[in-house]
Amino acid sequence: QQQVKQSPQSLIVQKGGISIINCAYENTAFDYFPWYQQFPGKGPALLIAIRPDVSEKKEGRFTISFNKSAKQFSLHIMDSQPGDSATYFCAASRSAAGNKLTFGGGTRVLVKP
Amino acid sequence: ETGVTQSPTHLIKTRGQQVTLRCSSQSGHNTVSWYQQALGQGPQFIFQYYREEENGRGNFPPRFSGLQFPNYSSELNVNALELDDSALYLCASSYGGTQETQYFGPGTRLLVL
């Protein structure tokens, strides 16, 4: 059972553009929502994370928007750069169950120069 | 401060064999989680160890087993390998059994023929 659904599967954006990736979750007990970036041959690296008590969090060019009632959250990459070309994963976990992450299927982002 | 390391980087086995993968957690971390990442998919949680005790398990059969040692390094053992076990196996370490940031290693690529 896929508890975190991620879209789109792939995305092409021009340098300087905005990349938007969306995720939807089913389990209302989830209370921690991180985004990971993965380059080929590497393990995932945490980009940014949010908890449901805030609707938006920004770190540099990366912003998470969170809609608790819709059970959706999204990652916006502003001023996309070729170095941002990677696979991005959303994830979710429950504090009562420790930090056992449930991942989305991933979005492959290609930033064209 | 050293990061999460995994060994070996690549491994080829045949069906029915057994394999042991190793992970050294980041300095100061006492929690290790293992994930399986099939090609083109998001990581799936296998199990977690906190202070040498199993602290939760995902939907994986008993032939997947693990250990955590007093220095918090960890092993993942898989018995009776099947073709579908071919994947990237990721280890992640963190401090505490709660929602602390998980730091992933580069993974071990396992191919089962």
Side-chain angles (χ1 to χ4, degrees), chain A residues 31-32 36 38 41-46 51 89 93-106, chain B residues 31 33 35 37 40-43 45 48 55-57 88 90 94 96-102 104-106:
Chain A
D31 56 6
Y32 177 67
Y36 282 84
Q38 186 176 29
K42 303 285 188 181
L46 179 69
R51 297 185 189 277
F89 294 96
S93 67
R94 297 187 297 129
S95 57
N99 55 353
K100 304 168 186 67
L101 296 167
T102 298
F103 282 87
Chain B
T31 302
S33 303
Y35 294 82
Q37 186 177 21
Q41 297 183 23
F45 174 74
Q48 180 183 90
N55 183 39
R57 187 180 183 90
L88 180 69
L90 295 161
S94 57
T98 60
Q99 290 174 1
E100 297 294 334
T101 300
Q102 293 192 48
F104 282 83

Side-chain angles (χ1 to χ4, degrees), chain A residues 14-33:
Chain A
Q14 292 295 126
K15 179 182 175 183
I18 302 174
S19 303
I20 302 174
I21 306 169
N22 300 299
C23 283
Y25 62 96
E26 300 169 5
N27 189 343
T28 55
F30 286 146
D31 56 6
Y32 177 67
F33 303 89

